[in-house]
Amino acid sequence: MNDTWNQLVAVLPPIFTCLAVIGVMAAIACKRNHGSAVAITVVGLNLALVSLLAVIAVTPIEVTPLFVVDDYAVFFWAVILVAALATCTFAGSYFEGLDDNREEFYILVASSVLGGMALVASRHFASLFIGLELLSVPLYGMIAYTYRERQSLEAGFKYMVLSGAASSFLLFGMALLYAASGHLDYEGLAVALQSGASGHAWVLMGVGMILVALTFKLSLVPFHVWTPDVYEGAPAPVSTFLATVSKTAVFALLMRFFFLAPVAHDPWLLTLVGVIAFLSMFAGNLLALRQTNIKRILGYSSIAHIGYLLTVIVAGIPLSIEATGVYLATYVGTTLGAFGVVSLVSSPFAGRDAAHLDHYRGLYWKRPILAVSMAIMMLSLAGIPLTMGFIGKFYILSVAVAAGLWWLVAGIIIGSGIGLFYYLRVMALLFMERPADAREPAAIGGMGQTAGTVVIWLLAAVTIIVGIYPTWLIDLVGASSIAGIG
């Protein structure tokens, strides 16, 4: 009875998220109201976030053979929920001007958050697949939500087709590993393969196919081509969600899989992962140089950042888990702020998003808080000292140096140097003289804009505070160990 009660406490966050989905559906059935849908979703996600305090008291705990709720899962659930709350706040303002049904969007957001939470806590291929699909399928609708815009519809279709192909690779890879080991859980798979009960080639092929699927979801080279098009075509709050919640959940899963299943520690496979990381750093940064659309710039930037982060998997040392937590937390906070500014100056009522760099020229003279916040986010993404982006990058470099991965250290340093150019270019544009024919940002006023501005201001403040005093974040991440690793 006590174990059952503890398991129930451990799944309180997903339960509250489910209740948010049901609440919005019930509210729509009674009467359509955009404000009510936002409020129900935000309350549900906040309850899920607060309930993490109760979950910590019962971790680590296995919940059915499919999931394990440990400190690692709790930390990334918190990151996912904070990012989803920020997304809902930005969406509240963004969709206020949409001349169509708006309430279903929040059902899709909360459903996708559920998928991300399942993915982070998964310890079995069945929960991995369910979590990944629950995370991805609502995204098809979210990306194409402003379907009257051709770009949005095209982006949704593109993501759906390519995501379906990635799922096929995932299933085939799982089937090969099951055939080789007779197990579908990560620990059982590791034990069976270490005892030599399988063919090495089939195992490598299975892990390789799973890696292809997850590489697509993380927008890593060579499966990165869809990223800028989908980021540009999707509504700005959806791009925010894609760049933060989706990538956090998938990378947290990848990290758990590589640490729990030593089958993935094959030198040949790790070299391949290192090459993918190296190429992603350069491809992301070099391709961003030629862009004039800020959503495409942030899309390419995300490719480079996940490339930096992939270094920790190649290193495979105990510090890698802490570095992953610190880097993902700083990356998510900064990316939320940058995409948040794009969301607040855009509106579907005014046509396509205000994403061209010219839209941001002289923004300081119209919306000084947003312009200064965007400048801080650009500095953080560039890894400039006294911002939290610097702390994250410092951790990644420390892991690469400790593991003796000098070629990846060189890639991180050179890639960061290239990135400085386009981040500082965006920052400089914000403070230039505003041309007379510049597009005006979305109207100031309304609760949505006010709430969104407050979130942006808070993110900018946290970016500076963590950059100056990172100890509390490091202590928080340091307590987030993966169950099953000594």
Side-chain angles (χ1 to χ4, degrees):
M1 179 62 188
N2 199 36
D3 283 349
T4 306
W5 173 254
N6 287 341
Q7 287 177 345
L8 187 63
V9 171
V11 295
L12 275 178
I15 289 174
F16 281 123
T17 309
C18 276
L19 290 176
V21 174
I22 295 168
V24 176
M25 289 172 71
I28 292 173
C30 295
K31 184 183 178 183
R32 283 191 174 276
N33 184 289
H34 183 223
S36 300
V38 177
I40 292 168
T41 312
V42 168
V43 169
L45 295 179
N46 268 311
L47 287 174
L49 192 59
V50 172
S51 68
L52 290 175
L53 296 173
V55 176
I56 291 170
V58 299
T59 56
I61 185 169
E62 292 181 6
V63 182
T64 75
L66 301 183
F67 300 101
V68 58
V69 180
D70 50 10
D71 295 336
Y72 180 81
V74 170
F75 177 78
F76 284 107
W77 279 2
V79 174
I80 287 172
L81 287 167
V82 169
L85 279 166
T87 301
C88 288
T89 308
F90 300 141
S93 165
Y94 183 89
F95 286 115
E96 198 59 48
L98 182 67
D99 184 22
D100 211 329
N101 292 333
R102 297 161 290 181
E103 294 77 14
E104 285 83 353
F105 178 80
Y106 303 96
I107 297 176
L108 296 174
V109 170
S111 301
S112 196
V113 167
L114 267 177
M117 294 170 87
L119 209 52
V120 167
S122 75
R123 58 191 290 266
H124 193 281
F125 282 144
S127 50
L128 188 162
F129 184 72
I130 292 169
L132 197 63
E133 290 306 296
L134 190 54
L135 173 74
S136 302
V137 172
L139 278 171
Y140 308 155
M142 288 164 67
I143 292 168
Y145 206 78
T146 52
Y147 62 93
R148 296 183 199 283
E149 286 288 330
R150 181 177 162 276
Q151 269 198 322
S152 177
L153 192 60
E154 185 180 316
F157 186 71
K158 191 176 288 183
Y159 187 77
M160 182 181 70
V161 171
L162 294 175
S163 187
S167 297
S168 305
F169 275 95
L170 182 69
L171 283 172
F172 199 9
M174 288 177 183
L176 287 175
L177 286 180
Y178 180 70
S181 69
H183 287 269
L184 285 173
D185 60 301
Y186 306 162
E187 291 93 340
L189 174 71
V191 171
L193 297 178
Q194 279 176 338
S195 65
S198 61
H200 190 63
W202 291 113
V203 173
L204 280 185
M205 193 179 294
V207 175
M209 295 190 88
I210 291 176
L211 197 60
V212 166
L214 299 182
T215 301
F216 167 82
K217 299 289 182 184
L218 290 169
S219 314
L220 289 163
V221 173
F223 306 104
H224 65 290
V225 182
W226 62 272
T227 310
D229 292 345
V230 171
Y231 276 41
E232 183 184 2
V238 180
S239 302
T240 312
F241 192 89
L242 264 173
T244 56
V245 174
S246 174
K247 295 204 171 181
T248 299
V250 175
F251 200 91
L253 159 82
L254 189 65
M255 194 74 184
R256 188 189 289 277
F257 178 72
F258 265 75
F259 268 78
L260 286 185
V263 58
H265 293 174
D266 182 272
W268 180 86
L269 194 66
L270 288 179
T271 303
L272 177 65
V273 174
V275 171
I276 291 173
F278 191 82
L279 293 177
S280 298
M281 295 174 203
F282 277 89
N285 283 311
L286 288 173
L287 292 171
L289 285 175
R290 298 173 57 86
Q291 304 302 317
T292 55
N293 182 299
I294 196 160
K295 288 166 78 177
R296 292 182 74 86
I297 289 175
L298 291 173
Y300 281 119
S301 163
S302 75
I303 295 169
H305 279 279
I306 300 300
Y308 301 147
L309 188 54
L310 209 56
T311 302
V312 300
I313 288 181
V314 185
I317 59 177
L319 185 62
S320 294
I321 297 172
E322 187 174 325
T324 301
V326 171
Y327 197 86
L328 274 176
T330 56
Y331 164 78
V332 166
T334 307
T335 305
L336 280 175
F339 270 116
V341 172
V342 178
S343 300
L344 292 184
V345 300
S346 304
S347 167
F349 190 69
R352 292 170 63 176
D353 289 347
H356 197 280
L357 286 181
D358 284 343
H359 296 145
Y360 295 84
R361 189 185 295 272
L363 182 67
Y364 176 76
W365 308 109
K366 282 286 184 182
R367 306 282 290 273
I369 292 177
L370 294 187
V372 171
S373 301
M374 180 64 117
I376 292 171
M377 299 308 164
M378 291 297 115
L379 291 173
S380 184
L381 284 170
I384 301 297
L386 301 183
T387 63
M388 63 181 178
F390 172 76
I391 305 298
K393 205 161 279 183
F394 179 78
Y395 255 88
I396 296 296
L397 277 170
S398 301
V399 169
V401 169
L405 299 168
W406 300 110
W407 58 293
L408 286 175
V409 171
I412 295 169
I413 293 172
I414 296 170
S416 300
I418 297 169
L420 270 177
F421 177 78
Y422 60 84
Y423 290 129
L424 296 182
R425 179 175 58 146
V426 173
M427 198 180 84
L429 281 171
L430 297 167
F431 300 97
M432 287 182 175
E433 188 177 346
R434 191 168 178 78
D437 58 345
R439 172 174 164 174
E440 291 299 315
I444 304 172
M447 280 193 62
Q449 279 279 329
T450 305
T453 305
V454 170
V455 171
I456 294 286
W457 185 84
L458 286 174
L459 288 168
V462 169
T463 301
I464 298 296
I465 291 169
V466 173
I468 296 171
Y469 185 70
T471 309
W472 66 271
L473 176 63
I474 293 169
D475 289 344
L476 195 65
V477 175
S480 311
S481 57
I482 297 178
I485 297 179

